[in-house]
Amino acid sequence: QVQLVESGGGLVQPGGSLRLSCAASGSFFRIGVMGWYRQAPGKQRELVGTITTGGMTNYADSVKGRFTISRDNAQNTMYLQMNSLKPDDTAVYYCNANLSPDTTAEYDYWGQGTQVTVSS
């Protein structure tokens, strides 16, 4: 089975930086668009940004200029570099991938999430 695993979360002070990773494992034919989402306490899950297989990115206005998404297709891994972190960035961060397990279909897969806490 296919699995997405996030890592790199933790506690950081305002203005600090953190780098998250999302690794895909298992048997699959292809990974398409990948993205980062986050969910703060009492809030709905929201899009952070996406990245295509070719490296084209889109970001939510709230993180634009501070966060950078990248991917290593050979390693089936996506990254989220977070700089100038704010307390409002505190959330569980989730990895999402549009993935084809074979040549006949494609689905959205989700990781388990990793906690990011921005606090002094």
Side-chain angles (χ1 to χ4, degrees):
Q1 58 274 11
V2 178
Q3 187 175 19
L4 299 178
V5 179
E6 303 96 335
S7 62
L11 175 65
V12 65
Q13 293 185 334
S17 297
L18 210 58
R19 189 174 190 244
L20 307 183
S21 299
C22 170
S25 62
S27 297
F28 51 86
F29 175 71
R30 179 183 183 273
I31 299 178
V33 173
M34 302 181 74
W36 288 99
Y37 293 73
R38 67 186 183 184
Q39 188 166 20
K43 305 287 289 185
Q44 287 188 293
R45 187 173 299 185
E46 65 176 353
L47 175 70
V48 175
T50 61
I51 184 167
T52 69
T53 55
M56 297 184 66
T57 55
N58 288 283
Y59 301 96
D61 288 341
S62 59
V63 307
K64 194 173 299 182
R66 300 187 298 120
F67 291 9
T68 302
I69 298 173
S70 60
R71 66 190 289 171
D72 184 338
N73 291 329
Q75 297 292 325
N76 296 316
T77 302
M78 176 180 62
Y79 305 95
L80 179 64
Q81 178 66 49
M82 302 183 291
N83 300 323
S84 302
L85 283 162
K86 307 173 181 179
D88 284 349
D89 295 320
T90 296
V92 177
Y93 283 71
Y94 296 92
C95 174
N96 172 267
N98 183 254
L99 187 150
S100 298
D102 52 38
T103 61
T104 68
E106 60 185 41
Y107 307 96
D108 280 333
Y109 289 79
W110 292 90
Q112 82 291 342
T114 185
Q115 176 71 48
V116 172
T117 302
V118 184
S119 176
S120 59

